[in-house]
Amino acid sequence: SSLSERLSDMGKYAFDPEDAGESSKARGSSLRAHFKHCREVCHAIQGMKLAKAKKYLEDVLLYKQAIPFTKFTGGVGRHPQAKLLKSAGDKVRWPQKATKVILDLLKNAEANAEMKGLDVDDLFVKHSQANRAQKQRRRTYRAHGRINPYMSSPAHVEIVLCKYVEPVKKADKEVPKLTRKRTQQLRLKAGGGL
């Protein structure tokens, strides 16, 4: 089968890099880690260089750095480590399972980049996203013979690494040419002239 057919079988990503040859992807479906945690971890590594993102997630597993919780903040405690991250409301956590899952995906994307022959040192996390997956059902037993659902909230996670390009510098601001009338107004305001 041709390359385009194989790529279409791989599934769609929410983000398509402009230069597919200079990028690598990794994704996981129905991962048994909380969706809300996966979302916060993905958000934390977005835009980081690959080596920095890996080091950051490894530090999270060792409780040396924390994941700032910005969207799903209900019941999340405050912690002085959040000051280092300038986290809103100092709300941080160290989600172990989600961090391990996303670190594995980062390593997988890195291996995919090496297979393509890309320079791993130049890569950064262009896109990382977590979506809710179908919940898995269990049951819990309550008082008076009742039964309640006991659902898990898995996640679909995708990561795209791209080659880092230096941003283009803004051109020097051109001073607009003043009309004769405006020049005279400014001269009067400054107190020059007559």
Side-chain angles (χ1 to χ4, degrees), residues 78-178:
R78 300 161 182 276
H79 198 277
Q81 234 181 56
K83 291 180 194 163
L84 304 171
L85 302 161
K86 296 186 171 53
S87 172
D90 290 345
K91 294 188 167 194
V92 291
R93 274 189 177 172
W94 301 263
Q96 299 291 298
K97 215 168 172 184
T99 304
K100 279 180 196 151
V101 160
I102 289 166
L103 184 56
D104 283 348
L105 275 177
L106 265 182
K107 287 175 179 171
N108 184 232
E110 181 182 19
N112 293 343
E114 281 171 355
M115 277 296 293
K116 276 185 163 183
L118 299 175
D119 184 4
V120 178
D121 299 332
D122 287 350
L123 295 176
F124 79 108
V125 182
K126 176 75 176 175
H127 167 79
S128 61
Q129 164 180 312
N131 293 326
R132 287 179 200 274
Q134 186 172 5
K135 290 191 170 186
Q136 292 179 328
R137 180 177 288 277
R138 286 183 293 167
R139 56 194 350 203
T140 187
Y141 300 93
R142 311 306 295 260
H144 311 297
R146 290 174 303 127
I147 289 175
N148 281 148
Y150 207 67
M151 313 288 272
S152 69
S153 304
H156 303 310
V157 179
E158 56 185 58
I159 291 173
V160 178
L161 304 176
C162 289
K163 193 175 178 183
Y164 186 75
V165 180
E166 288 293 327
V168 180
K169 284 210 170 85
K170 219 175 190 181
D172 291 332
K173 200 174 178 185
E174 283 186 31
V175 180
K177 193 151 170 61
L178 298 173

Side-chain angles (χ1 to χ4, degrees), residues 20-69:
E22 295 291 314
S23 66
S24 75
K25 302 173 177 177
R27 72 186 301 172
S29 296
S30 300
L31 303 172
R32 281 302 292 270
H34 292 320
F35 156 71
K36 292 182 180 185
H37 292 178
C38 289
R39 185 266 167 201
E40 299 295 0
V41 176
C42 284
H43 185 70
I45 62 168
Q46 185 103 24
M48 280 188 186
K49 287 263 183 107
L50 177 60
K52 185 182 175 187
K54 279 170 59 182
K55 177 81 175 80
Y56 174 60
L57 294 181
E58 282 159 8
D59 283 351
V60 169
L61 293 175
L62 299 171
Y63 294 87
K64 288 182 181 174
Q65 292 206 61
I67 300 288
F69 273 55

